[in-house]
Structure formats: structure tokens, C-alpha cells
């Protein structure tokens, strides 16, 4: 029993670390979006010299922010949901656990699709469209990373529903 608890702490700790790293990158993306938007406003309205790269940058960073913020929202169980009757169930109810397992499986399937698309984009050397072009695999990689870590977070909720953050 003690060995099982130690194992659950280690696995939960690794998942928490991955979630926190993703969340840190997500927050960093938000700060960069804020900074370059202020820069764009300053350049456009005070110096009459608008930039061409800011809108593309914000678009890419927004994808990173949303996709890498997803695991933290999942771990906290604060994602958007319609839970008319699930809120009445206790945390370790089998139905709640089943829904977390199904959610983890769906996230893993989306991860599989994103990785498949990312490999195709990488092999074809595809870039985004716009003024500032980046490899598409970067954006698709953020989708795959976000959903894979969210799947781990759902699995953690299913296995250890009473675990504190």
C-alpha cells in the first residue's frame, strides 16, 4: 500500500510537472502577445509606422497559449462542461471516473491525428501563409502536446479523483 502511494505520487508529480511546463509556456505566450500588441499600437499611432509581422505573431502565439493552457484547465477540472447531474456525484463515483477515461481517450485520439498531420507537414516542409511564415509543424505540435498532456491530466483525474493539486 505504501509502495502504491509512492508510485501514485511519482506519476502524479510527473503529470503535474508537464502540466506546469505547458502552463508556463502558455503564460509566456500571453505576455509576449501583450508586449507585441503594445509595440504595434505604439508604432502605428505614435510613429505612423505599423508593423507587418505582429498579426501573424499574435495568431501563432494564441495557438500556443490556448493549446498549452488546456492541460492546466483539465487538471483543475475547470474545463467547460455541462454537468447537470455530475455535480451531484461524489468525486470518486464510477461514472465520473468513466467520463474522465473517455475524455482521456478522446484527447489521445486527437493527439494521434495531430501527430499524423504534423509528420505530414514536416515531411512536405509546409509553412504557414502570411507575412511571417513559420513551419506548420510548430503549430500542429502545440496541438499534439496540449492534447497529450490533457489526456494524462484526465487519466490522473480518473485514477486519483481525490488527489489534491
Amino acid at each position: 500500500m505504501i509502495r502504491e502511494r509512492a508510485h501514485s505520487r511519482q506519476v502524479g508529480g510527473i503529470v503535474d510537472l508537464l502540466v506546469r511546463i505547458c502552463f508556463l509556456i502558455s503564460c509566456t505566450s500571453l505576455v509576449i502577445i501583450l508586449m507585441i500588441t503594445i509595440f504595434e499600437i505604439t508604432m502605428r499611432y505614435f510613429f505612423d509606422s505599423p508593423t507587418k509581422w505582429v498579426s501573424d505573431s499574435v495568431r501563432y502565439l494564441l495557438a500556443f497559449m490556448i493549446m498549452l493552457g488546456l492541460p492546466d484547465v483539465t487538471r483543475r477540472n475547470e474545463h467547460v462542461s455541462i454537468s447537470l447531474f455530475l455535480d451531484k456525484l461524489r468525486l470518486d463515483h464510477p461514472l465520473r471516473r468513466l467520463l474522465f477515461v473517455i475524455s482521456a481517450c478522446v484527447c489521445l485520439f486527437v493527439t494521434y491525428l495531430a501527430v499524423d498531420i504534423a509528420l505530414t507537414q514536416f515531411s512536405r516542409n509546409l509553412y504557414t501563409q502570411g507575412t511571417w511564415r513559420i513551419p506548420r509543424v510548430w503549430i500542429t505540435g502545440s496541438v499534439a502536446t496540449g492534447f497529450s498532456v490533457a489526456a494524462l491530466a484526465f487519466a490522473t483525474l480518473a485514477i486519483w479523483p481525490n488527489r489534491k493539486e
Side-chain angles (χ1 to χ4, degrees), residues 70-112:
L70 172 68
D72 186 64
V73 172
T74 302
R75 178 180 57 116
R76 295 173 189 262
N77 199 14
E78 294 177 350
H79 47 278
V80 175
S81 63
I82 301 171
S83 56
L84 296 174
F85 70 96
L86 285 180
D87 288 339
K88 295 176 179 27
L89 302 176
R90 64 185 191 279
L91 288 176
D92 62 345
H93 193 279
L95 183 58
R96 288 178 72 97
R97 287 180 164 201
L98 176 66
L99 289 175
F100 287 142
V101 168
I102 291 170
S103 298
C105 290
V106 169
C107 287
L108 285 175
F109 180 69
V110 173
T111 299
Y112 167 76

mmCIF file of all heavy atoms in Angstrom, residues 70-112:
data_model
loop_
_atom_site.group_PDB
_atom_site.id
_atom_site.type_symbol
_atom_site.label_atom_id
_atom_site.label_comp_id
_atom_site.label_asym_id
_atom_site.label_seq_id
_atom_site.Cartn_x
_atom_site.Cartn_y
_atom_site.Cartn_z
ATOM 1 N N LEU A 70 -4.530 24.327 -22.089
ATOM 2 C CA LEU A 70 -5.552 23.284 -21.949
ATOM 3 C C LEU A 70 -5.248 22.265 -20.845
ATOM 4 O O LEU A 70 -6.136 21.946 -20.049
ATOM 5 C CB LEU A 70 -5.745 22.572 -23.296
ATOM 6 C CG LEU A 70 -6.631 21.337 -23.321
ATOM 7 C CD1 LEU A 70 -8.076 21.721 -23.054
ATOM 8 C CD2 LEU A 70 -6.496 20.623 -24.650
ATOM 9 N N PRO A 71 -4.022 21.748 -20.744
ATOM 10 C CA PRO A 71 -3.780 20.753 -19.683
ATOM 11 C C PRO A 71 -4.003 21.277 -18.267
ATOM 12 O O PRO A 71 -4.498 20.546 -17.410
ATOM 13 C CB PRO A 71 -2.304 20.368 -19.892
ATOM 14 C CG PRO A 71 -2.036 20.659 -21.320
ATOM 15 C CD PRO A 71 -2.862 21.859 -21.644
ATOM 16 N N ASP A 72 -3.668 22.541 -18.007
ATOM 17 C CA ASP A 72 -3.867 23.077 -16.661
ATOM 18 C C ASP A 72 -5.356 23.199 -16.341
ATOM 19 O O ASP A 72 -5.783 22.875 -15.233
ATOM 20 C CB ASP A 72 -3.180 24.439 -16.512
ATOM 21 C CG ASP A 72 -3.239 24.941 -15.085
ATOM 22 O OD1 ASP A 72 -2.640 24.285 -14.199
ATOM 23 O OD2 ASP A 72 -3.900 25.973 -14.845
ATOM 24 N N VAL A 73 -6.124 23.641 -17.306
ATOM 25 C CA VAL A 73 -7.569 23.734 -17.103
ATOM 26 C C VAL A 73 -8.150 22.340 -16.859
ATOM 27 O O VAL A 73 -9.012 22.153 -16.004
ATOM 28 C CB VAL A 73 -8.236 24.407 -18.333
ATOM 29 C CG1 VAL A 73 -9.741 24.344 -18.250
ATOM 30 C CG2 VAL A 73 -7.772 25.841 -18.465
ATOM 31 N N THR A 74 -7.630 21.363 -17.575
ATOM 32 C CA THR A 74 -8.091 19.982 -17.412
ATOM 33 C C THR A 74 -7.714 19.447 -16.036
ATOM 34 O O THR A 74 -8.540 18.841 -15.346
ATOM 35 C CB THR A 74 -7.481 19.094 -18.504
ATOM 36 O OG1 THR A 74 -7.851 19.618 -19.777
ATOM 37 C CG2 THR A 74 -7.978 17.672 -18.391
ATOM 38 N N ARG A 75 -6.467 19.659 -15.625
ATOM 39 C CA ARG A 75 -6.004 19.148 -14.326
ATOM 40 C C ARG A 75 -6.827 19.728 -13.188
ATOM 41 O O ARG A 75 -7.143 19.051 -12.219
ATOM 42 C CB ARG A 75 -4.533 19.491 -14.124
ATOM 43 C CG ARG A 75 -3.991 19.032 -12.785
ATOM 44 C CD ARG A 75 -2.550 19.406 -12.643
ATOM 45 N NE ARG A 75 -2.376 20.838 -12.790
ATOM 46 C CZ ARG A 75 -1.941 21.641 -11.827
ATOM 47 N NH1 ARG A 75 -1.639 21.165 -10.661
ATOM 48 N NH2 ARG A 75 -1.797 22.931 -12.039
ATOM 49 N N ARG A 76 -7.198 20.991 -13.314
ATOM 50 C CA ARG A 76 -8.002 21.634 -12.267
ATOM 51 C C ARG A 76 -9.483 21.268 -12.380
ATOM 52 O O ARG A 76 -10.288 21.692 -11.572
ATOM 53 C CB ARG A 76 -7.856 23.146 -12.358
ATOM 54 C CG ARG A 76 -6.474 23.647 -12.063
ATOM 55 C CD ARG A 76 -6.421 25.150 -12.366
ATOM 56 N NE ARG A 76 -5.086 25.657 -12.309
ATOM 57 C CZ ARG A 76 -4.575 26.280 -11.250
ATOM 58 N NH1 ARG A 76 -5.302 26.447 -10.181
ATOM 59 N NH2 ARG A 76 -3.345 26.710 -11.280
ATOM 60 N N ASN A 77 -9.823 20.543 -13.446
ATOM 61 C CA ASN A 77 -11.203 20.154 -13.715
ATOM 62 C C ASN A 77 -12.089 21.392 -13.863
ATOM 63 O O ASN A 77 -13.203 21.437 -13.352
ATOM 64 C CB ASN A 77 -11.728 19.206 -12.624
ATOM 65 C CG ASN A 77 -12.942 18.435 -13.063
ATOM 66 O OD1 ASN A 77 -13.272 18.398 -14.250
ATOM 67 N ND2 ASN A 77 -13.629 17.826 -12.122
ATOM 68 N N GLU A 78 -11.564 22.390 -14.551
ATOM 69 C CA GLU A 78 -12.292 23.637 -14.755
ATOM 70 C C GLU A 78 -12.638 23.869 -16.223
ATOM 71 O O GLU A 78 -12.939 24.988 -16.619
ATOM 72 C CB GLU A 78 -11.456 24.814 -14.234
ATOM 73 C CG GLU A 78 -11.274 24.782 -12.733
ATOM 74 C CD GLU A 78 -10.390 25.906 -12.224
ATOM 75 O OE1 GLU A 78 -9.764 26.612 -13.038
ATOM 76 O OE2 GLU A 78 -10.321 26.072 -10.996
ATOM 77 N N HIS A 79 -12.562 22.823 -17.020
ATOM 78 C CA HIS A 79 -12.904 22.961 -18.426
ATOM 79 C C HIS A 79 -14.406 23.172 -18.581
ATOM 80 O O HIS A 79 -15.183 22.898 -17.674
ATOM 81 C CB HIS A 79 -12.438 21.728 -19.212
ATOM 82 C CG HIS A 79 -12.795 20.441 -18.561
ATOM 83 N ND1 HIS A 79 -12.043 19.892 -17.553
ATOM 84 C CD2 HIS A 79 -13.841 19.623 -18.736
ATOM 85 C CE1 HIS A 79 -12.606 18.781 -17.149
ATOM 86 N NE2 HIS A 79 -13.709 18.595 -17.846
ATOM 87 N N VAL A 80 -14.792 23.651 -19.742
ATOM 88 C CA VAL A 80 -16.205 23.912 -20.000
ATOM 89 C C VAL A 80 -16.930 22.577 -20.058
ATOM 90 O O VAL A 80 -16.515 21.653 -20.755
ATOM 91 C CB VAL A 80 -16.385 24.660 -21.345
ATOM 92 C CG1 VAL A 80 -17.846 24.836 -21.671
ATOM 93 C CG2 VAL A 80 -15.681 25.998 -21.291
ATOM 94 N N SER A 81 -17.984 22.469 -19.284
ATOM 95 C CA SER A 81 -18.754 21.231 -19.285
ATOM 96 C C SER A 81 -20.186 21.517 -18.873
ATOM 97 O O SER A 81 -20.468 22.493 -18.186
ATOM 98 C CB SER A 81 -18.133 20.204 -18.335
ATOM 99 O OG SER A 81 -18.175 20.684 -17.020
ATOM 100 N N ILE A 82 -21.050 20.649 -19.312
ATOM 101 C CA ILE A 82 -22.447 20.705 -18.890
ATOM 102 C C ILE A 82 -22.612 19.571 -17.894
ATOM 103 O O ILE A 82 -22.589 18.399 -18.253
ATOM 104 C CB ILE A 82 -23.406 20.546 -20.082
ATOM 105 C CG1 ILE A 82 -23.154 21.658 -21.088
ATOM 106 C CG2 ILE A 82 -24.853 20.537 -19.609
ATOM 107 C CD1 ILE A 82 -23.886 21.500 -22.389
ATOM 108 N N SER A 83 -22.737 19.928 -16.650
ATOM 109 C CA SER A 83 -22.711 18.906 -15.601
ATOM 110 C C SER A 83 -23.937 19.010 -14.704
ATOM 111 O O SER A 83 -23.829 19.242 -13.514
ATOM 112 C CB SER A 83 -21.426 19.057 -14.791
ATOM 113 O OG SER A 83 -21.344 20.365 -14.280
ATOM 114 N N LEU A 84 -25.082 18.832 -15.301
ATOM 115 C CA LEU A 84 -26.322 18.952 -14.540
ATOM 116 C C LEU A 84 -26.408 17.932 -13.412
ATOM 117 O O LEU A 84 -26.786 18.263 -12.293
ATOM 118 C CB LEU A 84 -27.519 18.797 -15.474
ATOM 119 C CG LEU A 84 -27.654 19.875 -16.545
ATOM 120 C CD1 LEU A 84 -28.798 19.528 -17.500
ATOM 121 C CD2 LEU A 84 -27.881 21.221 -15.905
ATOM 122 N N PHE A 85 -26.050 16.700 -13.700
ATOM 123 C CA PHE A 85 -26.173 15.686 -12.657
ATOM 124 C C PHE A 85 -24.815 15.222 -12.129
ATOM 125 O O PHE A 85 -24.736 14.664 -11.046
ATOM 126 C CB PHE A 85 -27.002 14.494 -13.140
ATOM 127 C CG PHE A 85 -26.340 13.652 -14.179
ATOM 128 C CD1 PHE A 85 -25.658 12.509 -13.827
ATOM 129 C CD2 PHE A 85 -26.413 13.993 -15.519
ATOM 130 C CE1 PHE A 85 -25.055 11.729 -14.775
ATOM 131 C CE2 PHE A 85 -25.815 13.210 -16.477
ATOM 132 C CZ PHE A 85 -25.129 12.067 -16.103
ATOM 133 N N LEU A 86 -23.736 15.463 -12.849
ATOM 134 C CA LEU A 86 -22.425 15.024 -12.376
ATOM 135 C C LEU A 86 -21.964 15.786 -11.138
ATOM 136 O O LEU A 86 -21.231 15.245 -10.319
ATOM 137 C CB LEU A 86 -21.380 15.171 -13.480
ATOM 138 C CG LEU A 86 -21.446 14.143 -14.591
ATOM 139 C CD1 LEU A 86 -20.359 14.403 -15.614
ATOM 140 C CD2 LEU A 86 -21.322 12.736 -14.034
ATOM 141 N N ASP A 87 -22.405 17.028 -10.995
ATOM 142 C CA ASP A 87 -22.030 17.797 -9.809
ATOM 143 C C ASP A 87 -22.617 17.213 -8.526
ATOM 144 O O ASP A 87 -22.106 17.462 -7.443
ATOM 145 C CB ASP A 87 -22.487 19.256 -9.952
ATOM 146 C CG ASP A 87 -21.663 20.021 -10.959
ATOM 147 O OD1 ASP A 87 -20.526 19.580 -11.244
ATOM 148 O OD2 ASP A 87 -22.146 21.042 -11.462
ATOM 149 N N LYS A 88 -23.668 16.440 -8.667
ATOM 150 C CA LYS A 88 -24.298 15.825 -7.506
ATOM 151 C C LYS A 88 -23.577 14.540 -7.075
ATOM 152 O O LYS A 88 -23.800 14.031 -5.990
ATOM 153 C CB LYS A 88 -25.761 15.533 -7.804
ATOM 154 C CG LYS A 88 -26.588 16.790 -8.022
ATOM 155 C CD LYS A 88 -27.998 16.420 -8.395
ATOM 156 C CE LYS A 88 -28.942 17.534 -8.622
ATOM 157 N NZ LYS A 88 -28.593 18.796 -9.039
ATOM 158 N N LEU A 89 -22.704 14.016 -7.943
ATOM 159 C CA LEU A 89 -21.989 12.780 -7.637
ATOM 160 C C LEU A 89 -20.713 13.082 -6.850
ATOM 161 O O LEU A 89 -20.100 14.133 -7.029
ATOM 162 C CB LEU A 89 -21.623 12.044 -8.927
ATOM 163 C CG LEU A 89 -22.782 11.662 -9.845
ATOM 164 C CD1 LEU A 89 -22.253 11.040 -11.122
ATOM 165 C CD2 LEU A 89 -23.728 10.705 -9.131
ATOM 166 N N ARG A 90 -20.303 12.144 -6.014
ATOM 167 C CA ARG A 90 -19.052 12.328 -5.274
ATOM 168 C C ARG A 90 -17.868 12.240 -6.252
ATOM 169 O O ARG A 90 -17.999 11.705 -7.345
ATOM 170 C CB ARG A 90 -18.945 11.318 -4.138
ATOM 171 C CG ARG A 90 -18.859 9.902 -4.562
ATOM 172 C CD ARG A 90 -18.877 8.951 -3.360
ATOM 173 N NE ARG A 90 -18.538 7.615 -3.778
ATOM 174 C CZ ARG A 90 -19.370 6.763 -4.342
ATOM 175 N NH1 ARG A 90 -20.625 7.104 -4.546
ATOM 176 N NH2 ARG A 90 -18.960 5.568 -4.700
ATOM 177 N N LEU A 91 -16.709 12.718 -5.811
ATOM 178 C CA LEU A 91 -15.539 12.796 -6.690
ATOM 179 C C LEU A 91 -15.078 11.443 -7.208
ATOM 180 O O LEU A 91 -14.583 11.338 -8.331
ATOM 181 C CB LEU A 91 -14.386 13.486 -5.962
ATOM 182 C CG LEU A 91 -14.537 14.984 -5.733
ATOM 183 C CD1 LEU A 91 -13.360 15.517 -4.924
ATOM 184 C CD2 LEU A 91 -14.668 15.723 -7.044
ATOM 185 N N ASP A 92 -15.223 10.407 -6.408
ATOM 186 C CA ASP A 92 -14.735 9.098 -6.825
ATOM 187 C C ASP A 92 -15.841 8.187 -7.376
ATOM 188 O O ASP A 92 -15.667 6.975 -7.456
ATOM 189 C CB ASP A 92 -13.995 8.411 -5.680
ATOM 190 C CG ASP A 92 -14.891 8.165 -4.475
ATOM 191 O OD1 ASP A 92 -15.980 8.773 -4.412
ATOM 192 O OD2 ASP A 92 -14.496 7.369 -3.611
ATOM 193 N N HIS A 93 -16.962 8.770 -7.778
ATOM 194 C CA HIS A 93 -18.060 7.983 -8.337
ATOM 195 C C HIS A 93 -17.596 7.326 -9.645
ATOM 196 O O HIS A 93 -16.915 7.952 -10.447
ATOM 197 C CB HIS A 93 -19.287 8.877 -8.583
ATOM 198 C CG HIS A 93 -20.525 8.100 -8.854
ATOM 199 N ND1 HIS A 93 -20.817 7.581 -10.086
ATOM 200 C CD2 HIS A 93 -21.549 7.738 -8.032
ATOM 201 C CE1 HIS A 93 -21.970 6.946 -10.039
ATOM 202 N NE2 HIS A 93 -22.437 7.026 -8.794
ATOM 203 N N PRO A 94 -17.967 6.067 -9.868
ATOM 204 C CA PRO A 94 -17.523 5.363 -11.077
ATOM 205 C C PRO A 94 -17.925 6.045 -12.395
ATOM 206 O O PRO A 94 -17.178 5.996 -13.367
ATOM 207 C CB PRO A 94 -18.196 3.987 -10.960
ATOM 208 C CG PRO A 94 -18.464 3.817 -9.511
ATOM 209 C CD PRO A 94 -18.693 5.185 -8.955
ATOM 210 N N LEU A 95 -19.072 6.694 -12.420
ATOM 211 C CA LEU A 95 -19.496 7.368 -13.643
ATOM 212 C C LEU A 95 -18.574 8.544 -13.971
ATOM 213 O O LEU A 95 -18.203 8.745 -15.135
ATOM 214 C CB LEU A 95 -20.947 7.851 -13.507
ATOM 215 C CG LEU A 95 -21.546 8.512 -14.748
ATOM 216 C CD1 LEU A 95 -21.495 7.567 -15.949
ATOM 217 C CD2 LEU A 95 -22.974 8.940 -14.480
ATOM 218 N N ARG A 96 -18.189 9.303 -12.964
ATOM 219 C CA ARG A 96 -17.242 10.411 -13.186
ATOM 220 C C ARG A 96 -15.912 9.867 -13.692
ATOM 221 O O ARG A 96 -15.316 10.417 -14.617
ATOM 222 C CB ARG A 96 -17.019 11.197 -11.896
ATOM 223 C CG ARG A 96 -18.187 12.043 -11.479
ATOM 224 C CD ARG A 96 -17.871 12.742 -10.169
ATOM 225 N NE ARG A 96 -16.899 13.801 -10.366
ATOM 226 C CZ ARG A 96 -17.205 15.082 -10.526
ATOM 227 N NH1 ARG A 96 -18.457 15.447 -10.516
ATOM 228 N NH2 ARG A 96 -16.272 15.976 -10.693
ATOM 229 N N ARG A 97 -15.463 8.791 -13.076
ATOM 230 C CA ARG A 97 -14.198 8.185 -13.498
ATOM 231 C C ARG A 97 -14.285 7.690 -14.937
ATOM 232 O O ARG A 97 -13.349 7.861 -15.717
ATOM 233 C CB ARG A 97 -13.827 7.039 -12.571
ATOM 234 C CG ARG A 97 -13.355 7.498 -11.226
ATOM 235 C CD ARG A 97 -13.007 6.338 -10.347
ATOM 236 N NE ARG A 97 -12.209 6.813 -9.230
ATOM 237 C CZ ARG A 97 -11.425 6.045 -8.511
ATOM 238 N NH1 ARG A 97 -11.316 4.765 -8.767
ATOM 239 N NH2 ARG A 97 -10.736 6.547 -7.519
ATOM 240 N N LEU A 98 -15.410 7.088 -15.286
ATOM 241 C CA LEU A 98 -15.604 6.609 -16.660
ATOM 242 C C LEU A 98 -15.547 7.765 -17.655
ATOM 243 O O LEU A 98 -14.923 7.660 -18.711
ATOM 244 C CB LEU A 98 -16.928 5.855 -16.780
ATOM 245 C CG LEU A 98 -17.299 5.394 -18.196
ATOM 246 C CD1 LEU A 98 -16.303 4.348 -18.688
ATOM 247 C CD2 LEU A 98 -18.716 4.855 -18.224
ATOM 248 N N LEU A 99 -16.190 8.869 -17.322
ATOM 249 C CA LEU A 99 -16.165 10.027 -18.221
ATOM 250 C C LEU A 99 -14.757 10.604 -18.355
ATOM 251 O O LEU A 99 -14.368 11.056 -19.434
ATOM 252 C CB LEU A 99 -17.148 11.092 -17.731
ATOM 253 C CG LEU A 99 -18.616 10.715 -17.898
ATOM 254 C CD1 LEU A 99 -19.519 11.773 -17.279
ATOM 255 C CD2 LEU A 99 -18.961 10.511 -19.359
ATOM 256 N N PHE A 100 -13.974 10.583 -17.283
ATOM 257 C CA PHE A 100 -12.586 11.034 -17.379
ATOM 258 C C PHE A 100 -11.771 10.104 -18.274
ATOM 259 O O PHE A 100 -10.934 10.557 -19.050
ATOM 260 C CB PHE A 100 -11.949 11.137 -15.991
ATOM 261 C CG PHE A 100 -12.429 12.310 -15.181
ATOM 262 C CD1 PHE A 100 -12.627 12.181 -13.826
ATOM 263 C CD2 PHE A 100 -12.666 13.541 -15.767
ATOM 264 C CE1 PHE A 100 -13.049 13.267 -13.061
ATOM 265 C CE2 PHE A 100 -13.102 14.624 -15.018
ATOM 266 C CZ PHE A 100 -13.291 14.489 -13.668
ATOM 267 N N VAL A 101 -12.030 8.803 -18.181
ATOM 268 C CA VAL A 101 -11.326 7.847 -19.043
ATOM 269 C C VAL A 101 -11.704 8.073 -20.505
ATOM 270 O O VAL A 101 -10.838 8.082 -21.390
ATOM 271 C CB VAL A 101 -11.622 6.392 -18.607
ATOM 272 C CG1 VAL A 101 -11.139 5.389 -19.646
ATOM 273 C CG2 VAL A 101 -10.998 6.100 -17.259
ATOM 274 N N ILE A 102 -12.993 8.264 -20.765
ATOM 275 C CA ILE A 102 -13.443 8.533 -22.139
ATOM 276 C C ILE A 102 -12.812 9.828 -22.647
ATOM 277 O O ILE A 102 -12.343 9.892 -23.791
ATOM 278 C CB ILE A 102 -14.984 8.596 -22.208
ATOM 279 C CG1 ILE A 102 -15.578 7.208 -21.968
ATOM 280 C CG2 ILE A 102 -15.459 9.162 -23.542
ATOM 281 C CD1 ILE A 102 -17.083 7.187 -21.768
ATOM 282 N N SER A 103 -12.777 10.849 -21.810
ATOM 283 C CA SER A 103 -12.163 12.119 -22.201
ATOM 284 C C SER A 103 -10.680 11.947 -22.496
ATOM 285 O O SER A 103 -10.152 12.527 -23.456
ATOM 286 C CB SER A 103 -12.360 13.164 -21.103
ATOM 287 O OG SER A 103 -13.726 13.410 -20.897
ATOM 288 N N ALA A 104 -9.989 11.148 -21.696
ATOM 289 C CA ALA A 104 -8.567 10.872 -21.938
ATOM 290 C C ALA A 104 -8.391 10.167 -23.275
ATOM 291 O O ALA A 104 -7.472 10.501 -24.045
ATOM 292 C CB ALA A 104 -7.986 10.036 -20.805
ATOM 293 N N CYS A 105 -9.265 9.218 -23.575
ATOM 294 C CA CYS A 105 -9.186 8.501 -24.851
ATOM 295 C C CYS A 105 -9.431 9.434 -26.035
ATOM 296 O O CYS A 105 -8.747 9.343 -27.058
ATOM 297 C CB CYS A 105 -10.176 7.341 -24.874
ATOM 298 S SG CYS A 105 -9.722 5.998 -23.755
ATOM 299 N N VAL A 106 -10.391 10.323 -25.901
ATOM 300 C CA VAL A 106 -10.661 11.287 -26.969
ATOM 301 C C VAL A 106 -9.447 12.202 -27.171
ATOM 302 O O VAL A 106 -9.038 12.468 -28.306
ATOM 303 C CB VAL A 106 -11.938 12.114 -26.666
ATOM 304 C CG1 VAL A 106 -12.077 13.284 -27.617
ATOM 305 C CG2 VAL A 106 -13.170 11.226 -26.734
ATOM 306 N N CYS A 107 -8.854 12.659 -26.082
ATOM 307 C CA CYS A 107 -7.657 13.503 -26.185
ATOM 308 C C CYS A 107 -6.503 12.748 -26.836
ATOM 309 O O CYS A 107 -5.757 13.315 -27.645
ATOM 310 C CB CYS A 107 -7.238 14.023 -24.812
ATOM 311 S SG CYS A 107 -8.312 15.309 -24.166
ATOM 312 N N LEU A 108 -6.358 11.477 -26.510
ATOM 313 C CA LEU A 108 -5.315 10.669 -27.145
ATOM 314 C C LEU A 108 -5.569 10.490 -28.636
ATOM 315 O O LEU A 108 -4.636 10.512 -29.446
ATOM 316 C CB LEU A 108 -5.194 9.306 -26.465
ATOM 317 C CG LEU A 108 -4.497 9.306 -25.119
ATOM 318 C CD1 LEU A 108 -4.547 7.919 -24.489
ATOM 319 C CD2 LEU A 108 -3.056 9.784 -25.248
ATOM 320 N N PHE A 109 -6.827 10.333 -29.010
ATOM 321 C CA PHE A 109 -7.166 10.209 -30.435
ATOM 322 C C PHE A 109 -6.848 11.507 -31.178
ATOM 323 O O PHE A 109 -6.273 11.474 -32.264
ATOM 324 C CB PHE A 109 -8.644 9.831 -30.611
ATOM 325 C CG PHE A 109 -9.048 9.691 -32.045
ATOM 326 C CD1 PHE A 109 -8.565 8.639 -32.810
ATOM 327 C CD2 PHE A 109 -9.898 10.619 -32.632
ATOM 328 C CE1 PHE A 109 -8.930 8.503 -34.137
ATOM 329 C CE2 PHE A 109 -10.265 10.498 -33.963
ATOM 330 C CZ PHE A 109 -9.786 9.432 -34.726
ATOM 331 N N VAL A 110 -7.195 12.638 -30.586
ATOM 332 C CA VAL A 110 -6.865 13.935 -31.200
ATOM 333 C C VAL A 110 -5.348 14.104 -31.282
ATOM 334 O O VAL A 110 -4.823 14.615 -32.277
ATOM 335 C CB VAL A 110 -7.520 15.098 -30.430
ATOM 336 C CG1 VAL A 110 -7.048 16.436 -30.951
ATOM 337 C CG2 VAL A 110 -9.041 15.007 -30.523
ATOM 338 N N THR A 111 -4.630 13.641 -30.264
ATOM 339 C CA THR A 111 -3.165 13.681 -30.295
ATOM 340 C C THR A 111 -2.639 12.860 -31.462
ATOM 341 O O THR A 111 -1.752 13.294 -32.200
ATOM 342 C CB THR A 111 -2.576 13.138 -28.974
ATOM 343 O OG1 THR A 111 -3.032 13.957 -27.905
ATOM 344 C CG2 THR A 111 -1.067 13.124 -29.002
ATOM 345 N N TYR A 112 -3.188 11.663 -31.643
ATOM 346 C CA TYR A 112 -2.781 10.805 -32.757
ATOM 347 C C TYR A 112 -2.993 11.516 -34.094
ATOM 348 O O TYR A 112 -2.106 11.514 -34.962
ATOM 349 C CB TYR A 112 -3.566 9.487 -32.724
ATOM 350 C CG TYR A 112 -3.458 8.686 -33.985
ATOM 351 C CD1 TYR A 112 -2.298 7.965 -34.270
ATOM 352 C CD2 TYR A 112 -4.493 8.678 -34.909
ATOM 353 C CE1 TYR A 112 -2.197 7.247 -35.446
ATOM 354 C CE2 TYR A 112 -4.397 7.957 -36.082
ATOM 355 C CZ TYR A 112 -3.237 7.244 -36.351
ATOM 356 O OH TYR A 112 -3.138 6.539 -37.519
#
